[in-house]
Amino acid sequence: MDFNDPMLALSSWIGQVSFLIGDFGLGLLWRFIHIVVTLCHIVSGIFEAVESYAISLGLIQKYSSIDIEKLKCLAVVVDIEAARDVSKVVELLQWLTTIGVKQVGLFDSQGLLKKSKDMILEMVPRSVLLQETGEKDTSGIALEFISSSDNKEAVVKAANILFQKYLKSRHPGKDEGENVFTETHLNEALRVVGESVHVPDLLLVYGPVRSHLGFPAWRLRYTEIVHMGSLKYMRYGSLLKAIHKFTGVRQNYGV
Amino acid sequence: MVDQIRHMCVGINQILEQIHGFSRRCLFRVISMGPLPIHLAFIMDGNRRYAKKQDLEDGSGHKAGFSALMSMLQYCYELGIKYVTVYAFSIDNFRRKPEEVRSLMDLMLEKIKSLLDKESIVHEYGIRVYFIGNLALLSDQVRAAAEEVMQATAENSRVGLLVCVAYNSTDEIVQAVKKSCVTKLDRDMETIQLVDIEENMQMSVAPDPDILIRSSGETRLSNFLLWQTGSSQLFSPDALWPEIGLRHLVWAILNFQKSHSYFEKKKKKQM
């Protein structure tokens, strides 16, 4: 019995050491795979940069004319860190004005761009605030400022409006009131609470990851979502390419 | 002589499958050294285009798509992903030609029933199956089969499969608002809060997806999980759904691992 205990302890120790070596080896392999992934991103990044410069210089024929009429409403989602650099946002808007985009929604989750609204409107030539009534100054660019409060919080406020309607529509002695729970009713309630975010055809994401980062869900049904990389290193050619690609998309809306 | 060659081919095939499975498990062991997504969602787009591309008869694309789905589920559960959600049929899809809708419903009924077989993937991985969507829009047969599967798998707790059928996000939001209002009325309480709507969303049985993959290269969500994907990383591989494979899944997960700290920081800021 005394002989067996040390043997058991030794075999358990050997097992733990081989486990650690095994885990260390696996960890190294994992890091190696990630180095390969990073290299792939670097190489594709170089190709994209070269293509983007070629597009900006007008060297690629197909991007020299874009049917901008197909893009009625563009939205730009900006990562929080990027939203602090208003000058880059202004530069992006100036590029969009040059391309001929008429309507842009600017979104960041914490509403930093909303707070800088006046500064942005001042710095972007011929820009106006997009009004709910849809009156647009056709010579310039109409801007809309959106944040997370226009997403789930707005739906909660709209839900309370429907709740009040539901309470009022219920008659004593009847089980069911009028059906106030349809998409049309919720749409109308969202308009009443001031969530009048225009439905974007195309959403450009400027950030480290392709994610809509909480853009108002109700407006995203059929929006094309494209990742543009970081705002700090944004490229005009990449912007043209994304918009051009959008104009070639054909949706069947599930049919 | 022909029999011998046939047996040899079958044997070689089996060996290749064993090697493939072993290599896959080794790869998964390495990938598991990093953070893994808890919930993965798929938009299974491109079945009809696949059938056209391969010159197959109508409906074969969806059958090929089902095989691709079974492979994907196997990979996900082997890797240790806890929840998988698939967009099987949208409310918009009811507007397709009646014969196509009928054929899809027949296929769905056949495949839902097969989930109850002893050899099915449900039993292999202990999957709890949920059918998410406006099930009242389905035929009685399909709805009954779906409810039977949900009941039969209700005790399973290892992993979850959420099948979105007769679903779209805006309908889910409206139904959640409706349920919240009716519940508040019953409890005589004054206002709806965000937590009421969130707990009445049909997708609340699982956490928000970490990754959403839409096949066939399309970059839109088509009214799928719009409420739940604010912190999800989106991927749009060019492969049509029946062509989707292990490499697409592995690429998405490796990229998820690269961005994991970004989303963790974002979640902490929101708390």
Side-chain angles (χ1 to χ4, degrees):
Chain A
M1 197 116 51
D2 285 342
F3 180 69
N4 278 336
D5 280 348
M7 288 307 292
L8 272 169
L10 180 64
S11 63
S12 149
W13 182 82
I14 291 172
Q16 281 176 13
V17 168
S18 22
F19 206 63
L20 278 169
I21 292 172
D23 260 5
F24 180 70
L26 287 172
L28 276 180
L29 266 174
W30 181 79
R31 276 170 181 69
F32 174 73
I33 290 178
H34 271 281
I35 288 172
V36 171
V37 171
T38 305
L39 282 172
C40 290
H41 282 305
I42 289 173
V43 167
S44 73
I46 292 171
F47 276 110
E48 274 168 29
V50 168
E51 190 190 21
S52 171
Y53 284 121
I55 295 171
S56 323
L57 294 172
L59 298 175
I60 304 182
Q61 196 68 6
K62 69 176 178 178
Y63 298 111
S64 51
S65 74
I66 293 179
D67 185 5
I68 203 68
E69 296 302 314
K70 285 197 173 144
L71 181 56
K72 303 265 183 295
C73 178
L74 173 73
V76 174
V77 164
V78 175
D79 169 61
I80 292 298
E81 293 308 319
R84 296 181 207 280
D85 187 356
V86 175
S87 62
K88 289 306 268 186
V89 174
V90 167
E91 189 181 353
L92 175 64
L93 290 170
Q94 286 166 346
W95 286 354
L96 289 170
T97 313
T98 311
I99 293 170
V101 177
K102 294 292 178 204
Q103 194 176 316
V104 177
L106 286 169
F107 172 87
D108 72 278
S109 56
Q110 288 181 15
L112 298 177
L113 295 177
K114 252 184 195 173
K115 290 180 188 147
S116 313
K117 178 171 66 174
D118 294 332
M119 192 192 330
I120 293 173
L121 286 166
E122 208 178 289
M123 290 170 74
V124 177
R126 293 175 292 135
S127 63
V128 293
L129 200 58
L130 181 62
Q131 300 303 323
E132 195 196 311
T133 53
E135 286 167 22
K136 284 173 253 181
D137 177 356
T138 51
S139 65
I141 193 167
L143 301 180
E144 187 175 26
F145 293 85
I146 312 161
S147 69
S148 293
S149 62
D150 299 303
N151 188 18
K152 294 183 179 181
E153 282 173 40
V155 171
V156 172
K157 287 182 192 162
N160 278 298
I161 291 184
L162 292 186
F163 185 43
Q164 294 307 315
K165 275 203 175 121
Y166 176 60
L167 290 175
K168 283 190 191 134
S169 73
R170 286 171 60 84
H171 302 293
K174 255 186 164 183
D175 285 326
E176 292 288 322
E178 172 206 336
N179 183 20
V180 297
F181 301 112
T182 65
E183 291 188 24
T184 313
H185 284 102
L186 187 53
N187 217 24
E188 178 56 28
L190 281 165
R191 199 193 59 78
V192 168
V193 305
E195 193 281 54
S196 54
V197 174
H198 288 70
V199 175
D201 302 302
L202 174 63
L203 188 101
L204 301 178
V205 181
Y206 282 94
V209 170
R210 182 167 169 250
S211 168
H212 62 75
L213 300 181
F215 189 91
W218 195 254
R219 309 297 175 191
L220 266 185
R221 274 169 253 211
Y222 303 108
T223 305
E224 304 289 338
I225 301 172
V226 177
H227 184 217
M228 303 299 291
S230 100
L231 189 68
K232 193 173 169 192
Y233 302 111
M234 62 182 188
R235 291 184 289 264
Y236 183 71
S238 302
L239 182 62
L240 267 182
K241 184 181 173 185
I243 294 176
H244 181 269
K245 193 173 174 197
F246 163 78
T247 59
V249 166
R250 295 281 174 272
Q251 287 202 31
N252 59 12
Y253 300 98
V255 177
Chain B
M1 177 67 176
V2 172
D3 279 341
Q4 279 176 330
I5 294 174
R6 202 178 293 140
H7 280 140
M8 220 164 62
C9 289
V10 166
I12 291 172
N13 243 353
Q14 281 176 345
I15 292 171
L16 285 174
E17 265 174 36
Q18 302 268 22
I19 294 173
H20 187 255
F22 178 72
S23 320
R24 186 175 68 238
R25 279 187 288 279
C26 288
L27 175 62
F28 285 173
R29 186 74 186 83
V30 174
I31 292 174
S32 311
M33 296 307 292
L36 287 176
I38 296 172
H39 183 177
L40 230 131
F42 292 102
I43 300 180
M44 305 187 289
D45 190 17
N47 293 323
R48 291 188 297 181
R49 270 170 282 176
Y50 177 81
K52 213 172 169 180
K53 184 175 160 185
Q54 302 290 330
D55 216 13
L56 303 170
E57 58 181 37
D58 290 342
S60 304
H62 296 293
K63 289 188 180 132
F66 184 78
S67 302
L69 171 62
M70 289 298 111
S71 302
M72 271 294 137
L73 290 180
Q74 183 190 0
Y75 302 151
C76 289
Y77 296 133
E78 254 180 33
L79 189 49
I81 290 168
K82 184 117 167 94
Y83 297 96
V84 177
T85 299
V86 296
Y87 202 8
F89 194 87
S90 159
I91 293 178
D92 291 334
N93 295 153
F94 279 113
R95 293 188 286 131
R96 290 184 179 181
K97 288 189 228 162
E99 348 29 291
E100 191 185 338
V101 175
R102 206 169 20 247
S103 137
L104 274 167
M105 287 294 135
D106 289 341
L107 179 67
M108 223 181 305
L109 181 63
E110 180 196 324
K111 297 305 178 189
I112 291 174
K113 283 183 173 167
S114 74
L115 291 177
L116 292 172
D117 294 343
K118 286 203 166 57
E119 313 86 42
S120 83
I121 197 172
V122 162
H123 290 97
E124 193 180 343
Y125 294 102
I127 306 176
R128 180 168 182 181
V129 183
Y130 303 87
F131 286 92
I132 308 279
N134 200 337
L135 302 187
L137 297 175
L138 297 171
S139 69
D140 292 339
Q141 270 187 308
V142 176
R143 188 173 53 254
E147 280 161 6
E148 192 186 346
V149 169
M150 284 198 279
Q151 216 166 5
T153 60
E155 300 299 313
N156 295 346
S157 57
R158 275 174 62 196
V159 290
L161 171 63
L162 290 76
V163 183
C164 291
V165 61
Y167 172 92
N168 70 38
S169 227
T170 43
D171 182 69
E172 186 195 8
I173 294 170
V174 168
Q175 297 307 325
V177 165
K178 179 178 181 178
K179 255 198 233 164
S180 309
C181 292
V182 170
T183 314
K184 286 283 173 179
L185 189 74
D186 289 344
R187 291 184 200 161
D188 218 11
M189 291 164 82
E190 284 181 7
T191 54
I192 314 276
Q193 307 294 328
L194 179 59
V195 66
D196 302 314
I197 298 180
E198 301 249 79
E199 72 191 15
N200 282 310
M201 295 288 270
Q202 284 191 291
M203 284 295 299
S204 65
V205 294
D208 289 345
D210 299 293
I211 296 178
L212 189 152
I213 298 176
R214 178 176 184 149
S215 56
S216 80
E218 304 294 349
T219 56
R220 54 193 177 269
L221 295 177
S222 293
N223 217 340
F224 181 59
L225 304 187
L226 306 178
W227 183 272
Q228 294 85 355
T229 46
S231 297
S232 308
Q233 197 165 355
L234 310 174
F235 293 92
S236 295
D238 287 333
L240 301 173
W241 179 254
E243 295 167 343
I244 201 122
L246 182 63
R247 64 194 184 287
H248 303 105
L249 178 67
V250 167
W251 181 250
I253 291 174
L254 290 174
N255 280 281
F256 163 81
Q257 290 181 335
K258 286 193 114 46
S259 333
H260 185 249
S261 57
Y262 170 75
F263 281 115
E264 288 298 294
K265 239 194 295 181
K266 189 169 168 279
K267 277 182 194 151
K268 281 191 183 124
K269 277 189 187 155
Q270 279 170 354
M271 281 182 190

